[in-house]
Amino acid sequence: GGMGGMGGGGGEMHYADEDLPKELASGDPLEVLTIEVLCPGQEGRVIGKAGATIKDIERQTGAKMAVEKGSGKCVITGPRGKGIAARRCG
């Protein structure tokens, strides 16, 4: 857990979270990426009542999220470090 490894340096970062997709696992934490996270049957839980949960995750992480009900997917867009944070929240 935690957000260790997000410090300065500007070089390539390597994250210890073994289940990260390869596009998140290493590289510039400021590079903007779009990733899909599978959440079949969990779309409503990710969105929350009147969108409260997804808005809270966006506010906490700075990443943008989109969930299409019935799709089983959550799309996260933002800098690599923020995408990792949003993925961990969802």
Side-chain angles (χ1 to χ4, degrees):
M3 295 292 292
M6 297 297 292
E12 285 236 338
M13 302 291 291
H14 295 278
Y15 300 93
D17 196 336
E18 69 283 341
D19 67 343
L20 286 176
K22 66 181 185 309
E23 62 269 19
L24 289 181
S26 65
D28 182 352
L30 300 178
E31 179 185 0
V32 175
L33 301 174
T34 298
I35 61 165
E36 288 185 357
V37 178
L38 298 179
C39 59
Q42 300 296 314
E43 299 94 332
R45 187 176 78 82
V46 173
I47 296 168
K49 187 174 184 176
T53 303
I54 199 167
K55 288 175 189 169
D56 193 43
I57 293 170
E58 288 179 333
R59 189 175 64 253
Q60 286 179 26
T61 65
K64 295 294 176 201
M65 297 177 64
V67 178
E68 186 177 326
K69 277 199 162 190
S71 70
K73 291 187 285 189
C74 177
V75 179
I76 302 170
T77 303
R80 183 184 317 271
K82 294 185 183 302
I84 290 169
R87 187 172 183 276
R88 288 179 177 154
C89 290

